[in-house]
Amino acid sequence: MKALVYDGVETLGFRDVPDAVAAAGQELVRIEASGICGSDMHAYLGHDDRRPAPLILGHEAAGVIVGGARDGTRVTINPLVNCGTCPACVSGRENLCPERMIISMPPREGAFAQFVAMRPENLVTVPDDVPLTKAALAEPLAVSWHAARLGLEALHAGASQTALVIGGGAIGLAAALALKAQGMDDVTIAEPSDTRRAFLTERCGQTVVHAGTGQYGLVVDAVGYSATRQVASALAEPGGMILHIGLGEDAGGLDVRRMTLQEITFIGTYTYTAQDFRDTCAAIFDGRLGPLDWTEHRPLAEGAAAFADLRAGVVAAPKIILTPWT
């Protein structure tokens, strides 16, 4: 099969690799769409020791089951694999499983390939009227759906029902969509890029500013750098909340003194539960997250150029979807 292989820092090769093979208890999925995630970019830049070269990246995918009783079934992939028996898994918090793995991390190859083998419980059936390029957004949307759920469940009843999302990439846009779908109407995205800000406003119908000002009941850091944490610390209102999704930088930025004196809650949020993933899929399928027409599609064979364009900051769309068969 063909695959896009991470060979080293800022080096990707599109070539033949051994075919993916479904082991016992797995199903083979012919990949039709696979999105580029920020974590793929971190690996591409050599910033992720968990993803050493050579490796097939990619974990935001949808496709069609090949063979077996469900041959031809259209599915989207939950790429988070867990043990199923630990206290976290048993309590429905599979994202905290100590043995959790995600495809695109060794020993599991990723979905920038023509085929991937997955467990049936990690596959959600996609209705015939939903394009698989849209269904491939389930994974990044689930990340933000999970974060929005945690934040809204924990937000004090007396807090202002306003949110600022820092970062207008796919996770930031998804956070805005998830917050609105779960009941918070007053949501603003802060995005410094003029090109992306225009895209989010004109194509996605979002309220977007260059930089946030004032105070918000809930601040979502969808970037995760010291500078963005500093902004989040300053703009969360007293008694408000910071939701931290981004993993851009490990340390720095939080104003712990202000957070302590003003009782600002900080929640770090990672991936999603299996139920969050299913709930996100349902929201995609019934239209609660909008038309989801803000992606750019490119052939997997041109994946190296797509990564280079993202690296250069010349992509307006929040997400590039790679298609392996074109």
Side-chain angles (χ1 to χ4, degrees):
M1 68 177 183
K2 296 288 188 181
L4 185 69
V5 183
Y6 167 58
D7 287 317
V9 177
E10 298 190 39
T11 305
L12 295 165
F14 182 71
R15 60 176 180 268
D16 288 313
V17 299
D19 290 343
V21 177
Q26 292 184 327
E27 294 188 283
L28 188 65
V29 179
R30 172 187 159 114
I31 300 298
E32 299 293 340
S34 188
I36 300 177
C37 176
S39 61
D40 297 317
M41 181 58 65
H42 292 160
Y44 171 75
L45 296 175
H47 296 166
D48 191 346
D49 293 338
R50 302 172 303 170
R51 291 179 167 93
L55 182 67
I56 301 173
L57 300 173
H59 58 268
E60 305 174 356
V64 180
I65 293 175
V66 177
R70 295 209 292 166
D71 181 65
T73 302
R74 305 165 79 247
V75 294
T76 188
I77 296 173
N78 176 349
L80 196 64
V81 180
N82 55 76
C83 74
T85 58
C86 72
C89 288
V90 172
S91 64
R93 304 178 77 190
E94 301 91 347
N95 60 317
L96 302 181
C97 172
E99 297 183 23
R100 69 188 181 219
M101 295 186 293
I102 194 165
I103 63 172
S104 78
M105 286 186 185
R108 304 185 68 93
E109 298 282 9
F112 290 153
Q114 291 178 319
F115 294 94
V116 164
M118 289 298 298
R119 304 184 310 188
E121 56 265 38
N122 284 73
L123 303 176
V124 175
T125 301
V126 177
D128 289 341
D129 63 341
V130 176
L132 290 174
T133 49
K134 183 182 293 187
L137 293 171
E139 199 279 339
L141 289 168
V143 169
S144 292
W145 184 276
H146 173 75
R149 178 178 66 80
L150 293 182
L152 293 174
E153 287 176 352
L155 190 65
H156 192 277
S160 63
Q161 297 298 300
T162 60
L164 176 71
V165 178
I166 302 172
I171 295 298
L173 174 57
L177 296 174
L179 286 166
K180 291 177 181 178
Q182 294 182 48
M184 180 171 278
D185 296 325
D186 190 345
V187 181
T188 300
I189 299 174
E191 169 55 52
S193 165
D194 293 342
T195 302
R196 181 159 286 176
R197 197 163 59 250
F199 187 97
L200 291 169
T201 302
E202 298 165 10
R203 181 73 174 268
C204 306
Q206 300 299 305
T207 300
V208 192
V209 297
H210 181 274
T213 59
Q215 301 273 276
Y216 300 84
L218 194 156
V219 179
V220 180
D221 186 347
V223 182
Y225 281 94
S226 174
T228 55
R229 285 190 287 270
Q230 185 175 13
V231 172
S233 297
L235 299 186
E237 70 183 21
M241 177 176 301
I242 297 170
L243 284 174
H244 193 270
I245 309 176
L247 289 171
E249 193 173 32
D250 290 346
L254 285 178
D255 185 343
V256 177
R257 179 177 177 81
R258 180 173 189 271
M259 291 172 62
T260 301
L261 293 175
Q262 301 296 341
E263 293 191 358
I264 295 168
T265 301
F266 178 94
I267 297 180
T269 166
Y270 178 74
T271 62
Y272 37 78
T273 68
Q275 187 60 53
D276 285 322
F277 192 89
R278 290 190 292 268
D279 290 344
T280 301
C281 289
I284 293 171
F285 302 157
D286 66 20
R288 276 177 287 155
L289 292 170
L292 302 177
D293 57 355
W294 34 261
T295 58
E296 178 181 330
H297 303 164
R298 302 192 190 186
L300 183 64
E302 298 175 12
F307 271 81
D309 286 347
L310 288 167
R311 174 77 169 95
V314 297
V315 180
K319 177 69 64 178
I320 292 179
I321 302 287
L322 301 177
T323 53
W325 302 93
T326 56

